Amino acid sequence: MDEQPRLMHSHTGVGMAGHPGLPQHMQEGTGGTDGDGRKQDIGDILQQIMTITDQSLDEAQARKHALNCHRMKPALFNVLCEIKEKTVLSIRGAQEEEPPDPQLMRLDNMLLAEGVSGPEKGGGSAAAAAAAAASGGAGADNSAEHSDYRAKLSQIRQIYHTELEKYEQACNEFTTHVMNLLREQSRTRPISPKEIERMVSIIHRKFSSIQMQLKQSTCEAVMILRSRFLDARRKRRNFNKQATEILNEYFYSHLSNPYPSEEAKEELAKKCAITVAQVSNWFGNKRIRYKKNIGKFQEEANMYAARTAVNAANASSHGSQANSPSTPNSAGETGN
DNA sequence: GGGCATGATTCTTG
DNA sequence: CAAGAATCATGCCC
C-alpha cells in the first residue's frame, strides 16, 4: 500500500542526482555506471505504475482475485494479524478488562429497588407501601394517591423499557453491520477474529454508556416522583369539617387548660379518624394561634361555647338536674 | 394570582 | 421531652 510514496521519493531523489545541492550520501557510493542502472529501474517502476493506471477495471478485479486466491495469502494474513495483535495489545492492553462501573451498579440497584427494572408488577407496590408507611398511616383517602403514584411509576417503567429495547436493537443492528463489514474487509486486509471481537466490545461499551444516561435520567424521574409523593408537606389535606368541629369543641370547652391527656388525644384521634400525632399538632398550632390573636378567635370561641351550653342543657333536661351549665359568653371556661 | 388558613416540620426553650 | 415559636408548603377562597 505505502509502496507508492516511497517510490515517488526515490524517483525525485534520483532525478536530482548530480545536482549541486544534493546531500553527500546521495551522490557517493552509487558509482558512475550504477547511475544508468538505477535510471533504468526507475523507468521500469514508472512504467509499471503507468500500466496499473491504464488497467481496466476488469483487469484490476482479475488481479485482485488472483491475489486473493494466492496460496500464500492466508499464511501472510495470519502473520500480519499476529503482528497487529501484538502492537494493538501493547498499546491498549492496559485499559482492557475494566471492572464493573460502580455508578452503573448503583443505578441498576436503585432501578431494581424502585421496581423499574425488576420483574413485571409488584415492584411498584413496594414503593407504594413505603409511601404509605411514610405518610403516617392516615389511611382511607390516600389510596387514590397511591394509585396515581403507581400509574406514574409504571409510565416511567414503560418508557424506560421501550427506550432500553430501542437501544439494544440499535446496538445489535450496528454490531452485526460492523461485523459483516469487517468480515467482508478481512478478505482484502488482515483482520483477526480477535480484532472483530474487540471492535464489538468497543461498540457495546459505547452503547452501554448511552444506556447509563438513560438509567440516570430514569432514576432522576423516579426520585422526583418519590419526593413528590413521600413528602408529607406536599400532600397536606385539611381535616374534614367534622374532625375540626370535634377538635374545636374540645379546645374551647377546655380553654383554660387546652392540653389534652394522652388518653384524651387517643379518644379524639379515634373520633376524628386521624393520628394522635396529628391531634398533638393540631392542639399545638391551635394554642399558639389562639394566643397570638385572641380577638380573631373570639367569635369562634363564643359559637362553640354556646353549642356546648346547648348540649349540656339537652343532657340535663334528659337526665335529672344539671350540675352547672357553662355560661355562653364566658368562652366555655368550664375549668379543669 | 394573591392572600389567608392550615397541617406539618424544625428549632428553641424550660 | 413536651410545649412554644417560627417556618414551610399546600389548600382554598375571592
Side-chain angles (χ1 to χ4, degrees):
Chain A
M1 266 301 202
D2 50 6
E3 275 305 281
Q4 285 195 6
R6 234 172 273 161
L7 287 173
M8 299 309 263
H9 254 285
S10 55
H11 167 225
T12 51
V14 173
M16 304 271 270
H19 190 275
L22 207 64
Q24 278 249 286
H25 70 271
M26 283 295 209
Q27 299 194 8
E28 280 174 3
T30 46
T33 48
D34 270 7
D36 283 349
R38 281 186 74 128
K39 272 182 190 159
Q40 183 68 37
D41 286 348
I42 298 304
D44 283 351
I45 291 160
L46 277 175
Q47 193 59 43
Q48 274 184 35
I49 291 167
M50 295 310 283
T51 54
I52 284 171
T53 52
D54 279 348
Q55 273 171 2
S56 70
L57 207 61
D58 285 346
E59 271 179 285
Q61 286 291 353
R63 284 189 68 144
K64 199 171 140 191
H65 187 251
L67 272 172
N68 275 337
C69 296
H70 198 283
R71 64 194 173 84
M72 290 299 282
K73 187 209 149 192
L76 185 64
F77 269 28
N78 273 346
V79 172
L80 287 172
C81 279
E82 236 171 80
I83 293 167
K84 257 175 104 174
E85 206 58 50
K86 275 180 191 154
T87 49
V88 166
L89 278 179
S90 67
I91 289 167
R92 66 175 108 129
Q95 69 190 46
E96 299 283 349
E97 298 295 327
E98 58 198 67
D101 187 354
Q103 203 193 342
L104 185 63
M105 277 174 67
R106 254 208 324 276
L107 289 174
D108 277 337
N109 285 341
M110 191 191 147
L111 289 173
L112 204 65
E114 292 298 329
V116 175
S117 63
E120 196 64 39
K121 287 278 171 198
S125 63
S135 74
D141 65 328
N142 58 15
S143 61
E145 285 184 28
H146 288 161
S147 68
D148 198 18
Y149 178 90
R150 267 198 292 274
K152 291 224 167 75
L153 194 71
S154 80
Q155 213 176 320
I156 290 173
R157 185 193 163 92
Q158 201 182 341
I159 292 168
Y160 170 77
H161 277 107
T162 49
E163 287 297 308
L164 203 66
E165 215 168 288
K166 243 192 270 177
Y167 284 146
E168 250 155 40
Q169 203 182 333
C171 181
N172 287 340
E173 268 173 28
F174 191 66
T175 305
T176 49
H177 174 74
V178 168
M179 275 172 76
N180 286 341
L181 208 68
L182 288 175
R183 278 208 199 99
E184 180 65 30
Q185 285 196 351
S186 73
R187 297 196 319 153
T188 51
R189 66 187 185 95
I191 299 172
S192 66
K194 239 185 188 169
E195 208 176 332
I196 295 176
E197 216 173 274
R198 194 159 37 238
M199 199 60 86
V200 167
S201 82
I202 287 170
I203 293 166
H204 283 174
R205 228 175 299 157
K206 292 281 174 206
F207 270 89
S208 78
S209 80
I210 297 170
Q211 267 186 17
M212 189 146 107
Q213 280 175 23
L214 172 70
K215 283 175 181 175
Q216 200 151 16
S217 54
T218 307
C219 276
E220 273 166 26
V222 171
M223 288 310 281
I224 290 166
L225 183 69
R226 242 181 113 82
S227 71
R228 284 195 74 82
F229 278 87
L230 295 189
D231 189 352
R233 276 183 173 177
R234 286 183 182 277
K235 52 185 200 125
R236 181 178 72 80
R237 287 274 177 277
N238 289 347
F239 299 153
N240 60 39
K241 230 177 181 175
Q242 203 186 348
T244 315
E245 275 184 17
I246 291 166
L247 292 167
N248 271 319
E249 226 163 86
Y250 187 98
F251 180 81
Y252 287 112
S253 64
H254 298 77
L255 204 51
S256 63
N257 186 32
Y259 299 88
S261 63
E262 272 313 298
E263 296 89 69
K265 279 184 195 170
E266 277 172 30
E267 175 107 14
L268 286 167
K270 211 188 261 179
K271 274 193 200 166
C272 301
I274 57 178
T275 66
V276 174
Q278 283 176 305
V279 173
S280 296
N281 280 339
W282 190 92
F283 274 89
N285 283 322
K286 190 74 184 179
R287 281 192 299 265
I288 191 79
R289 284 165 185 163
Y290 179 81
K291 201 173 84 179
K292 263 188 178 171
N293 194 350
I294 296 177
K296 198 180 82 181
F297 288 93
Q298 196 58 56
E299 205 179 318
E300 192 180 64
N302 290 340
M303 190 191 84
Y304 279 100
R307 194 180 298 185
T308 46
V310 168
N311 284 348
N314 281 348
S316 65
S317 70
H318 276 293
S320 50
Q321 276 288 322
N323 9 18
S324 63
S326 58
T327 46
N329 275 344
S330 65
E333 295 256 328
T334 46
N336 264 32

